[in-house]
Short mmCIF file of all heavy atoms in Angstrom, two decimals:
data_model
loop_
_atom_site.label_atom_id
_atom_site.label_comp_id
_atom_site.label_asym_id
_atom_site.label_seq_id
_atom_site.Cartn_x
_atom_site.Cartn_y
_atom_site.Cartn_z
N TRP A 1 107.01 51.09 105.15
CA TRP A 1 106.07 51.15 106.27
C TRP A 1 105.07 52.30 106.18
O TRP A 1 104.07 52.29 106.89
CB TRP A 1 106.82 51.22 107.58
CG TRP A 1 107.55 49.95 107.90
CD1 TRP A 1 107.21 48.69 107.50
CD2 TRP A 1 108.74 49.82 108.67
NE1 TRP A 1 108.13 47.79 107.97
CE2 TRP A 1 109.08 48.46 108.70
CE3 TRP A 1 109.56 50.71 109.33
CZ2 TRP A 1 110.18 47.98 109.36
CZ3 TRP A 1 110.66 50.22 110.00
CH2 TRP A 1 110.97 48.87 110.01
N LEU A 2 105.35 53.29 105.39
CA LEU A 2 104.41 54.41 105.22
C LEU A 2 103.94 54.45 103.76
O LEU A 2 104.49 55.19 102.95
CB LEU A 2 105.07 55.74 105.60
CG LEU A 2 105.43 55.94 107.06
CD1 LEU A 2 106.19 57.23 107.24
CD2 LEU A 2 104.17 55.94 107.92
N PRO A 3 102.97 53.66 103.43
CA PRO A 3 102.53 53.61 102.03
C PRO A 3 102.02 54.96 101.53
O PRO A 3 102.10 55.24 100.33
CB PRO A 3 101.43 52.56 102.00
CG PRO A 3 101.22 52.09 103.38
CD PRO A 3 102.21 52.75 104.27
N THR A 4 101.53 55.79 102.43
CA THR A 4 101.06 57.11 101.98
C THR A 4 102.24 57.97 101.52
O THR A 4 102.06 58.89 100.72
CB THR A 4 100.32 57.83 103.11
OG1 THR A 4 101.17 57.97 104.24
CG2 THR A 4 99.06 57.07 103.51
N PHE A 5 103.42 57.68 102.01
CA PHE A 5 104.62 58.42 101.60
C PHE A 5 104.88 58.26 100.11
O PHE A 5 105.36 59.17 99.45
CB PHE A 5 105.82 57.96 102.43
CG PHE A 5 107.10 58.66 102.10
CD1 PHE A 5 107.28 60.00 102.41
CD2 PHE A 5 108.12 57.99 101.45
CE1 PHE A 5 108.45 60.64 102.10
CE2 PHE A 5 109.31 58.63 101.14
CZ PHE A 5 109.47 59.97 101.46
N THR A 6 104.56 57.09 99.57
CA THR A 6 104.80 56.85 98.14
C THR A 6 103.84 57.66 97.27
O THR A 6 104.12 57.87 96.08
CB THR A 6 104.65 55.35 97.79
OG1 THR A 6 103.35 54.91 98.16
CG2 THR A 6 105.71 54.53 98.49
N ASP A 7 102.74 58.11 97.84
CA ASP A 7 101.77 58.91 97.08
C ASP A 7 102.14 60.39 97.04
O ASP A 7 101.58 61.13 96.25
CB ASP A 7 100.37 58.75 97.67
CG ASP A 7 99.87 57.32 97.56
OD1 ASP A 7 100.33 56.61 96.65
OD2 ASP A 7 99.03 56.92 98.40
N TRP A 8 103.05 60.82 97.90
CA TRP A 8 103.43 62.23 97.94
C TRP A 8 104.17 62.59 96.65
O TRP A 8 104.96 61.81 96.12
CB TRP A 8 104.35 62.52 99.12
CG TRP A 8 103.72 62.39 100.46
CD1 TRP A 8 102.42 62.13 100.75
CD2 TRP A 8 104.40 62.49 101.71
NE1 TRP A 8 102.23 62.05 102.09
CE2 TRP A 8 103.43 62.28 102.72
CE3 TRP A 8 105.70 62.72 102.09
CZ2 TRP A 8 103.74 62.31 104.06
CZ3 TRP A 8 106.01 62.76 103.43
CH2 TRP A 8 105.03 62.56 104.40
N ARG A 9 103.92 63.80 96.18
CA ARG A 9 104.60 64.27 94.98
C ARG A 9 105.09 65.69 95.21
O ARG A 9 104.42 66.50 95.81
CB ARG A 9 103.66 64.24 93.78
CG ARG A 9 103.27 62.84 93.38
CD ARG A 9 102.55 62.83 92.06
NE ARG A 9 102.26 61.47 91.67
CZ ARG A 9 103.11 60.70 91.00
NH1 ARG A 9 104.28 61.15 90.66
NH2 ARG A 9 102.77 59.48 90.67
N VAL A 10 106.30 65.95 94.74
CA VAL A 10 106.88 67.29 94.80
C VAL A 10 107.20 67.67 93.36
O VAL A 10 108.03 67.02 92.70
CB VAL A 10 108.15 67.31 95.67
CG1 VAL A 10 108.77 68.69 95.68
CG2 VAL A 10 107.83 66.85 97.08
N LEU A 11 106.52 68.68 92.86
CA LEU A 11 106.67 69.12 91.47
C LEU A 11 106.42 67.97 90.48
O LEU A 11 107.11 67.82 89.47
CB LEU A 11 108.06 69.72 91.23
CG LEU A 11 108.41 70.95 92.07
CD1 LEU A 11 109.86 71.33 91.86
CD2 LEU A 11 107.49 72.12 91.73
N GLY A 12 105.47 67.10 90.84
CA GLY A 12 105.11 65.99 89.96
C GLY A 12 106.02 64.78 90.08
O GLY A 12 105.80 63.77 89.41
N ILE A 13 107.04 64.85 90.93
CA ILE A 13 107.98 63.73 91.09
C ILE A 13 107.64 63.02 92.40
O ILE A 13 107.49 63.66 93.43
CB ILE A 13 109.44 64.24 91.12
CG1 ILE A 13 109.75 65.02 89.85
CG2 ILE A 13 110.40 63.09 91.30
CD1 ILE A 13 111.06 65.76 89.89
N PRO A 14 107.52 61.68 92.37
CA PRO A 14 107.23 60.95 93.61
C PRO A 14 108.32 61.19 94.66
O PRO A 14 109.52 61.24 94.35
CB PRO A 14 107.20 59.49 93.18
CG PRO A 14 106.99 59.52 91.71
CD PRO A 14 107.58 60.79 91.21
N ALA A 15 107.90 61.33 95.92
CA ALA A 15 108.83 61.64 97.01
C ALA A 15 109.93 60.59 97.17
O ALA A 15 111.09 60.95 97.39
CB ALA A 15 108.06 61.83 98.31
N PRO A 16 109.63 59.27 97.08
CA PRO A 16 110.72 58.29 97.20
C PRO A 16 111.81 58.47 96.13
O PRO A 16 112.99 58.30 96.40
CB PRO A 16 110.03 56.93 97.04
CG PRO A 16 108.63 57.18 97.46
CD PRO A 16 108.33 58.59 97.05
N TRP A 17 111.40 58.84 94.94
CA TRP A 17 112.39 59.08 93.87
C TRP A 17 113.24 60.29 94.20
O TRP A 17 114.45 60.30 93.94
CB TRP A 17 111.68 59.29 92.54
CG TRP A 17 111.18 58.02 91.94
CD1 TRP A 17 110.16 57.24 92.38
CD2 TRP A 17 111.71 57.37 90.80
NE1 TRP A 17 110.00 56.16 91.59
CE2 TRP A 17 110.95 56.21 90.59
CE3 TRP A 17 112.74 57.66 89.92
CZ2 TRP A 17 111.20 55.34 89.56
CZ3 TRP A 17 112.98 56.78 88.88
CH2 TRP A 17 112.22 55.64 88.71
N LEU A 18 112.59 61.31 94.73
CA LEU A 18 113.34 62.51 95.11
C LEU A 18 114.36 62.22 96.20
O LEU A 18 115.49 62.71 96.15
CB LEU A 18 112.38 63.60 95.60
CG LEU A 18 112.04 64.66 94.59
CD1 LEU A 18 110.97 65.57 95.13
CD2 LEU A 18 113.25 65.46 94.20
N ILE A 19 113.95 61.41 97.17
CA ILE A 19 114.89 61.06 98.25
C ILE A 19 116.08 60.30 97.68
O ILE A 19 117.24 60.57 98.03
CB ILE A 19 114.19 60.24 99.35
CG1 ILE A 19 113.28 61.17 100.14
CG2 ILE A 19 115.20 59.58 100.26
CD1 ILE A 19 112.49 60.47 101.21
N LEU A 20 115.82 59.36 96.80
CA LEU A 20 116.92 58.59 96.21
C LEU A 20 117.77 59.43 95.26
O LEU A 20 118.98 59.25 95.19
CB LEU A 20 116.38 57.36 95.48
CG LEU A 20 115.86 56.25 96.37
CD1 LEU A 20 115.23 55.15 95.53
CD2 LEU A 20 116.97 55.69 97.23
N ALA A 21 117.14 60.33 94.54
CA ALA A 21 117.88 61.11 93.54
C ALA A 21 118.63 62.29 94.15
O ALA A 21 119.74 62.61 93.73
CB ALA A 21 116.92 61.61 92.46
N VAL A 22 118.04 62.94 95.13
CA VAL A 22 118.63 64.16 95.67
C VAL A 22 119.07 64.00 97.12
O VAL A 22 120.13 64.48 97.51
CB VAL A 22 117.62 65.34 95.55
CG1 VAL A 22 118.19 66.60 96.14
CG2 VAL A 22 117.21 65.55 94.12
N GLY A 23 118.29 63.31 97.91
CA GLY A 23 118.55 63.23 99.35
C GLY A 23 119.75 62.38 99.73
O GLY A 23 120.29 62.53 100.82
N VAL A 24 120.16 61.48 98.86
CA VAL A 24 121.27 60.58 99.20
C VAL A 24 122.63 61.29 99.08
O VAL A 24 123.55 60.99 99.82
CB VAL A 24 121.23 59.32 98.31
CG1 VAL A 24 122.44 58.46 98.51
CG2 VAL A 24 119.97 58.52 98.63
N TYR A 25 122.72 62.28 98.21
CA TYR A 25 124.01 62.93 98.00
C TYR A 25 124.54 63.67 99.23
O TYR A 25 125.72 63.57 99.54
CB TYR A 25 123.96 63.84 96.77
CG TYR A 25 123.85 63.04 95.51
CD1 TYR A 25 122.66 62.97 94.80
CD2 TYR A 25 124.93 62.29 95.05
CE1 TYR A 25 122.56 62.21 93.66
CE2 TYR A 25 124.83 61.52 93.91
CZ TYR A 25 123.65 61.49 93.22
OH TYR A 25 123.55 60.71 92.10
N PRO A 26 123.70 64.39 99.97
CA PRO A 26 124.22 64.97 101.22
C PRO A 26 124.68 63.89 102.21
O PRO A 26 125.65 64.08 102.94
CB PRO A 26 123.05 65.77 101.78
CG PRO A 26 122.19 66.07 100.61
CD PRO A 26 122.36 64.91 99.67
N LEU A 27 123.97 62.76 102.21
CA LEU A 27 124.37 61.65 103.08
C LEU A 27 125.73 61.11 102.67
O LEU A 27 126.60 60.86 103.52
CB LEU A 27 123.31 60.54 103.03
CG LEU A 27 123.60 59.29 103.83
CD1 LEU A 27 123.62 59.61 105.31
CD2 LEU A 27 122.56 58.23 103.52
N ILE A 28 125.95 60.93 101.38
CA ILE A 28 127.25 60.47 100.89
C ILE A 28 128.34 61.47 101.26
O ILE A 28 129.42 61.09 101.74
CB ILE A 28 127.21 60.26 99.36
CG1 ILE A 28 126.31 59.08 99.01
CG2 ILE A 28 128.62 60.03 98.80
CD1 ILE A 28 126.05 58.95 97.52
N GLY A 29 128.07 62.75 101.05
CA GLY A 29 129.06 63.79 101.39
C GLY A 29 129.37 63.83 102.86
O GLY A 29 130.54 63.96 103.27
N THR A 30 128.35 63.67 103.72
CA THR A 30 128.57 63.67 105.16
C THR A 30 129.39 62.46 105.59
O THR A 30 130.32 62.59 106.40
CB THR A 30 127.21 63.69 105.90
OG1 THR A 30 126.49 64.83 105.48
CG2 THR A 30 127.41 63.71 107.39
N CYS A 31 129.06 61.29 105.06
CA CYS A 31 129.84 60.08 105.39
C CYS A 31 131.29 60.23 104.95
O CYS A 31 132.21 59.86 105.69
CB CYS A 31 129.21 58.85 104.75
SG CYS A 31 127.68 58.31 105.53
N ALA A 32 131.50 60.77 103.76
CA ALA A 32 132.87 60.96 103.26
C ALA A 32 133.63 61.95 104.13
O ALA A 32 134.80 61.72 104.48
CB ALA A 32 132.84 61.44 101.81
N TRP A 33 132.98 63.04 104.51
CA TRP A 33 133.63 64.05 105.35
C TRP A 33 134.00 63.46 106.71
O TRP A 33 135.12 63.67 107.20
CB TRP A 33 132.71 65.25 105.52
CG TRP A 33 133.27 66.30 106.41
CD1 TRP A 33 134.26 67.18 106.12
CD2 TRP A 33 132.87 66.57 107.75
NE1 TRP A 33 134.51 68.00 107.20
CE2 TRP A 33 133.66 67.64 108.22
CE3 TRP A 33 131.92 66.03 108.60
CZ2 TRP A 33 133.53 68.16 109.50
CZ3 TRP A 33 131.79 66.55 109.87
CH2 TRP A 33 132.59 67.60 110.30
N LEU A 34 133.08 62.70 107.32
CA LEU A 34 133.37 62.07 108.62
C LEU A 34 134.50 61.06 108.50
O LEU A 34 135.37 60.97 109.38
CB LEU A 34 132.12 61.40 109.18
CG LEU A 34 131.03 62.33 109.67
CD1 LEU A 34 129.76 61.54 110.00
CD2 LEU A 34 131.51 63.11 110.88
N TYR A 35 134.51 60.29 107.41
CA TYR A 35 135.57 59.29 107.22
C TYR A 35 136.93 59.97 107.08
O TYR A 35 137.90 59.55 107.72
CB TYR A 35 135.29 58.43 105.99
CG TYR A 35 136.42 57.48 105.72
CD1 TYR A 35 136.55 56.31 106.45
CD2 TYR A 35 137.40 57.77 104.76
CE1 TYR A 35 137.60 55.44 106.23
CE2 TYR A 35 138.45 56.90 104.54
CZ TYR A 35 138.55 55.75 105.27
OH TYR A 35 139.60 54.91 105.07
N ILE A 36 137.01 60.99 106.25
CA ILE A 36 138.29 61.68 106.04
C ILE A 36 138.80 62.30 107.33
O ILE A 36 139.98 62.22 107.67
CB ILE A 36 138.17 62.72 104.91
CG1 ILE A 36 138.01 62.01 103.58
CG2 ILE A 36 139.36 63.66 104.88
CD1 ILE A 36 137.66 62.92 102.43
N ARG A 37 137.89 62.90 108.07
CA ARG A 37 138.27 63.53 109.35
C ARG A 37 138.82 62.51 110.34
O ARG A 37 139.87 62.71 110.94
CB ARG A 37 137.05 64.24 109.91
CG ARG A 37 137.32 65.06 111.10
CD ARG A 37 136.08 65.84 111.48
NE ARG A 37 136.10 66.03 112.90
CZ ARG A 37 135.06 66.15 113.67
NH1 ARG A 37 133.87 66.13 113.14
NH2 ARG A 37 135.17 66.31 114.95
N ALA A 38 138.12 61.38 110.48
CA ALA A 38 138.57 60.35 111.42
C ALA A 38 139.84 59.65 110.92
O ALA A 38 140.73 59.32 111.72
CB ALA A 38 137.46 59.33 111.65
N ALA A 39 139.95 59.42 109.62
CA ALA A 39 141.15 58.78 109.07
C ALA A 39 142.37 59.68 109.26
O ALA A 39 143.47 59.19 109.57
CB ALA A 39 140.96 58.47 107.59
N THR A 40 142.18 60.97 109.12
CA THR A 40 143.29 61.91 109.36
C THR A 40 143.73 61.87 110.81
O THR A 40 144.94 61.90 111.10
CB THR A 40 142.86 63.34 108.96
OG1 THR A 40 142.45 63.32 107.60
CG2 THR A 40 143.99 64.32 109.14
N LYS A 41 142.77 61.77 111.73
CA LYS A 41 143.12 61.66 113.15
C LYS A 41 143.91 60.38 113.42
O LYS A 41 144.89 60.39 114.17
CB LYS A 41 141.87 61.68 114.02
CG LYS A 41 141.29 63.05 114.20
CD LYS A 41 140.10 63.00 115.13
CE LYS A 41 139.46 64.36 115.26
NZ LYS A 41 138.29 64.34 116.14
N ASN A 42 143.48 59.27 112.80
CA ASN A 42 144.22 58.00 112.96
C ASN A 42 145.66 58.14 112.46
O ASN A 42 146.60 57.69 113.12
CB ASN A 42 143.53 56.88 112.19
CG ASN A 42 142.34 56.32 112.91
OD1 ASN A 42 142.13 56.56 114.09
ND2 ASN A 42 141.53 55.57 112.18
N GLU A 43 145.81 58.75 111.30
CA GLU A 43 147.15 58.90 110.73
C GLU A 43 148.01 59.86 111.56
O GLU A 43 149.21 59.64 111.71
CB GLU A 43 147.05 59.39 109.29
CG GLU A 43 146.50 58.34 108.37
CD GLU A 43 146.16 58.86 106.99
OE1 GLU A 43 146.37 60.07 106.73
OE2 GLU A 43 145.69 58.07 106.17
#
């Protein structure tokens, strides 16, 4: 929805690539941490 976002570059790397390459890992870690915390409460 934001085509101008695809034109952004950080250190020569397109912003969408950066989000997929770097930005997803904190999201994965947060989801894993929330899951473990809630699963421990269930147990």
Side-chain angles (χ1 to χ4, degrees):
W1 291 332
L2 293 174
T4 58
F5 180 70
T6 58
D7 296 334
W8 293 355
R9 293 190 177 274
V10 178
L11 300 173
I13 302 170
W17 284 70
L18 260 173
I19 287 177
L20 288 174
V22 178
V24 173
Y25 291 107
L27 178 65
I28 292 171
T30 302
C31 287
W33 178 75
L34 288 172
Y35 175 80
I36 290 171
R37 187 173 150 209
T40 303
K41 283 183 183 179
N42 281 346
E43 290 170 1

